[in-house]
Amino acid sequence: MNPLDIAVIVIVCVAFVGVAGWLIYRKVKHKGGCTGCDCGCGANCPHCKEKDKK
């Protein structure tokens, strides 16, 4: 393996870990998913289900 191969592998691994960490952070902080009743989820998200119950 030459230095270019190693650099590409390292960059891809760091990018993957960064994206996975960002997704986990957003999930933990509840900043992902439903954007409201106009989200087009077909009433499958928790936000739309709560409005259907009321």
Side-chain angles (χ1 to χ4, degrees):
M1 289 178 64
N2 60 27
L4 182 62
D5 293 337
I6 295 171
V8 169
I9 291 171
V10 168
I11 290 170
V12 169
C13 290
V14 168
F16 177 78
V17 169
V19 169
W22 179 69
L23 291 173
I24 291 169
Y25 171 78
R26 286 184 51 96
K27 193 64 145 175
V28 168
K29 293 295 182 180
H30 306 289
K31 294 187 179 193
C34 184
T35 59
C37 286
D38 58 345
C39 62
C41 67
N44 291 326
C45 63
H47 179 262
C48 296
K49 286 181 181 178
E50 287 177 11
K51 282 203 168 192
D52 287 342
K53 288 180 183 177
K54 291 182 180 179

